Structures are given as C-alpha cells and as structure tokens.
Amino acid sequence: MTSTVTANSPPGASVYPAVNISEEHLSKPGLVVIDITTADENTAAEAATALGGLWLSSGPSAPWHTPGRAGVTVRAYADLRRAPLPHGTVSPSTD
C-alpha cells in the first residue's frame, strides 16, 4: 500500500492510501478492478456502490487524491461472472 500527498486538496483534507492491484484481483477471467475519478468523494462512492447493483462487487475503497490531477478516486473490485448479492446479504461464497 502506498500513500499519496495531496497537492490539489483544500486545507485540512485527508490524504488516503492508494491501493495497489495484486495478481489475486485479476487471477481469473471476469474479475475486474475499476478506478472511478470524480469531482468529489460522495459522487465517487455513489458510482462505485452502484456497481454492486450490476455485479458482485467490493463497494468503494477509501478515496484518494493523486497529485497533479483534479478530483478524487475510489477503487472497486467486481466479479462479472456473478450477480449482485441479495439485499441484506453480507458474505459471498468463495467459488
């Protein structure tokens, strides 16, 4: 895990770690890693959460800022082979 320094964020804004993609995240066809960059944290989290309505998804990571780039980024991991979990279910099987 690496940390980033935020050059373009307002005073007092948090700096979040940027998560590295491991081989495990891409070990099988149908597994994807999606980075979403938007103007604000709420929109980024909302977009990543919406992926969970399409596929089995991790939901959004902690947001991070990249120096020299506008906006905030979140990451989500999804399995395109599997449908989303039923509402209220918290643990997918490990197939």
Side-chain angles (χ1 to χ4, degrees):
M1 192 175 279
T2 59
S3 294
T4 58
V5 177
T6 312
N8 59 348
S9 59
S14 298
V15 176
Y16 298 95
V19 180
N20 293 323
I21 300 171
S22 77
E23 192 173 313
E24 178 183 354
H25 295 125
L26 301 172
S27 63
K28 297 178 184 174
L31 299 180
V32 298
V33 179
I34 302 167
D35 289 339
I36 299 168
T37 303
T38 66
D40 63 277
E41 292 180 14
N42 289 337
T43 303
E46 186 177 331
T49 300
L51 295 173
L54 301 172
W55 308 293
L56 183 64
S57 174
S58 66
S61 68
W64 74 87
H65 299 271
T66 302
R69 289 186 164 175
V72 62
T73 302
V74 297
R75 177 168 290 160
Y77 301 92
D79 186 341
L80 305 184
R81 304 165 301 169
R82 299 181 60 191
L85 294 176
H87 182 67
T89 305
V90 294
S91 180
S93 68
T94 56
D95 297 324

